[in-house]
Amino acid sequence: MDLTQGTHQVKTARSKKMMLWFGIGGLIMSFAGLISAFIVSSKQRLHEDWLVDFQLPNGFFISLVLILLSSLTFILGKRALQQNKMQQVTIWLLVTLGLGIGFVYSQFVGFGEIIEMGYNFTGPTSNITMSYIYVIAVLHITHVIAGLVCLIVVIYNHFKQKYNSNNMLGFELAANFWHFVDMLWLVLFLFLYFFRYII
């Protein structure tokens, strides 16, 4: 495919999408590094202070359901936009926003549960296993918050009638990033949940 072909609008859209995927690639490598550090630390400290029977808090389970549902509602919003059903787009975008806020809230509920278990991020009541979980979850939350900011911008532009079936670039970029952070949490959750069974 010749990337120099197409109208200015097509080339602009192509370059913005490519930049987004480069950014996502960088984030994937960052989280892969954290997971690698988690695995190496577990092997090195397995017989010292590594928790082998830790339980993920219930808030993390709830957040998983909420963020997966938010991906579905964003897809429904995009489908409605492709059909120029603007009222439905509004509904699905607002539901997605609500689910995203619910995700962040449930994550903090999960942190509260971890603290109730007796594990803080630092200090005498900290533990290296839980410290890794804190870092991974908080880093992911920051990206979800970035996704929420993008979503708010999309909602604002939608109310300004910027998007339609022929002009969806901003909507698609935000949706792709949102789906990425959703799938990222699914991968991280499954890793943290099942890792204790394989060490």
Side-chain angles (χ1 to χ4, degrees):
M1 181 175 69
D2 188 353
L3 298 179
T4 63
Q5 291 183 346
T7 64
H8 176 71
Q9 184 178 5
V10 169
K11 288 190 284 188
T12 299
R14 187 186 301 135
S15 64
K16 288 182 177 180
K17 288 179 181 178
M18 192 175 298
M19 288 182 68
L20 174 64
W21 288 116
F22 278 132
I24 286 175
L27 292 175
I28 289 172
M29 288 189 288
S30 298
F31 279 95
L34 271 174
I35 290 173
S36 298
F38 186 96
I39 294 170
V40 170
S41 294
S42 70
K43 303 300 182 187
Q44 291 177 341
R45 307 178 73 104
L46 183 59
H47 301 295
E48 297 178 31
D49 56 355
W50 190 267
L51 292 179
V52 294
D53 58 347
F54 67 92
Q55 299 283 336
L56 290 178
N58 292 331
F60 284 12
F61 286 86
I62 295 169
S63 67
L64 177 64
V65 173
L66 291 176
I67 204 162
L68 291 177
L69 285 175
S70 73
S71 256
L72 175 61
T73 56
F74 217 146
I75 289 170
L76 292 172
K78 181 179 178 181
R79 187 174 298 171
L81 182 59
Q82 289 170 333
Q83 299 170 355
N84 286 318
K85 296 179 179 178
M86 298 307 177
Q87 189 172 1
Q88 288 185 24
V89 175
T90 302
I91 292 169
W92 291 124
L93 286 177
L94 292 176
V95 171
T96 304
L97 179 63
L99 290 169
I101 293 170
F103 170 84
V104 175
Y105 174 77
S106 62
Q107 289 275 287
F108 281 105
V109 169
F111 292 143
E113 292 177 54
I114 292 174
I115 292 171
E116 286 177 8
M117 293 178 204
Y119 301 110
N120 288 291
F121 179 61
T122 60
T125 58
S126 66
N127 176 277
I128 188 168
T129 311
M130 288 303 177
S131 293
Y132 268 113
I133 293 174
Y134 271 113
V135 169
I136 290 170
V138 168
L139 188 58
H140 180 262
I141 285 175
T142 59
H143 291 92
V144 172
I145 291 172
L148 286 172
V149 171
C150 294
L151 180 56
I152 290 169
V153 171
V154 166
I155 292 171
Y156 174 80
N157 288 334
H158 169 65
F159 283 123
K160 289 287 188 178
Q161 300 181 347
K162 182 176 179 179
Y163 304 123
N164 55 56
S165 59
N166 297 315
N167 183 18
M168 297 178 58
L169 178 60
F171 194 105
E172 288 180 336
L173 292 174
N176 287 339
F177 183 72
W178 190 259
H179 295 320
F180 163 69
V181 294
D182 289 3
M183 292 303 104
L184 179 60
W185 180 245
L186 174 61
V187 171
L188 293 173
F189 178 89
L190 292 175
F191 171 78
L192 293 173
Y193 183 80
F194 288 108
F195 184 76
R196 58 191 164 139
Y197 296 113
I198 60 177
I199 58 174

